Amino acid sequence: SPNLHRVEVVPHGKMGRASARFGIRQFTCGKGRFWLNGAPIFLKGVNRHDADFQNGYATTVQSIWRDVMLIKKLGCNFVRSVHYTPSDDFLSLCDEAGLLVWQEALGWGNWQGQLNDPEFIRLQIEQAKLMARNSLNHPSAVIDAFLNEFGSSTAEGKELANMLIAALRSVDS
């Protein structure tokens, strides 16, 4: 049962206005558990790809909402948006439904040569920061991840992971 808020800014003496919806929550981990607003929470969920049986990867807000409602109907409180950054529509609908989201920056099965490529590293850092920045006002976004199934046990992989963690924390501590 999320508590969502809206703020509207109306500049004095100028045309135009801006509004944004946001939520406030505290999500932490410790003592072998996750905690939501100070209460322990067991994450029960599924993975979700942003694809639809009728439209493929061109999902509509209606098909995303159908997925969110199916996930809730399963009794889940958590969804992993896999291998790429979720859309703002998906996060907004999860905010409304009270689903928590594990979001990921683009990456899957990246090979050793990519993990020490300066351009690949630069783009991964840029994308991780953008993902965190774009989801800051979404109370559903509680876990930021990156590079699923990459060479994290290698020296290059560990170094890149540390850079990405630092990049994410520079946006959202």
Side-chain angles (χ1 to χ4, degrees):
S1 54
N3 291 311
L4 299 175
H5 311 278
R6 179 166 292 285
V7 63
E8 185 171 13
V9 177
V10 181
H12 181 67
K14 298 194 180 194
M15 299 294 290
R17 55 181 56 195
S19 67
R21 191 176 68 174
F22 67 97
I24 300 171
R25 56 97 182 104
Q26 181 184 40
F27 186 79
T28 58
C29 58
K31 301 179 186 174
R33 300 200 70 151
F34 291 108
W35 302 79
L36 179 63
N37 298 328
I41 185 169
F42 178 77
L43 300 180
K44 179 181 177 185
V46 297
N47 289 332
R48 179 187 176 273
H49 278 280
D50 199 19
D52 161 305
F53 65 93
Q54 291 177 321
N55 303 308
Y57 292 109
T59 55
T60 63
V61 172
Q62 292 80 13
S63 67
I64 296 169
W65 182 247
R66 183 191 63 238
D67 286 355
V68 167
M69 290 296 94
L70 285 171
I71 292 167
K72 290 289 287 187
K73 197 173 194 176
L74 286 171
C76 298
N77 61 4
F78 181 72
V79 60
R80 176 178 169 236
S81 179
V82 295
H83 310 322
Y84 40 83
T85 304
S87 69
D88 191 65
D89 286 335
F90 176 71
L91 291 175
S92 292
L93 293 173
C94 287
D95 292 344
E96 289 177 25
L99 280 176
L100 301 175
V101 177
W102 164 325
Q103 63 178 354
E104 291 183 2
L106 182 62
W108 178 71
N110 300 97
W111 46 277
Q112 194 62 36
Q114 292 172 310
L115 301 181
N116 55 20
D117 176 338
E119 183 65 1
F120 179 80
I121 292 168
R122 183 187 72 74
L123 291 170
Q124 285 297 314
I125 290 170
E126 181 182 301
Q127 184 183 23
K129 285 181 173 181
L130 186 61
M131 176 185 70
R133 196 173 301 116
N134 287 343
S135 65
L136 263 176
N137 291 327
H138 288 285
S140 59
V142 296
I143 295 176
D144 293 333
F146 48 80
L147 296 178
N148 182 52
E149 298 176 14
F150 74 109
S152 61
S153 62
T154 66
E156 294 88 351
K158 288 178 184 176
E159 184 177 346
L160 179 53
N162 287 332
M163 286 190 273
L164 290 168
I165 291 167
L168 288 167
R169 286 185 176 156
S170 75
V171 174
D172 184 1
S173 62

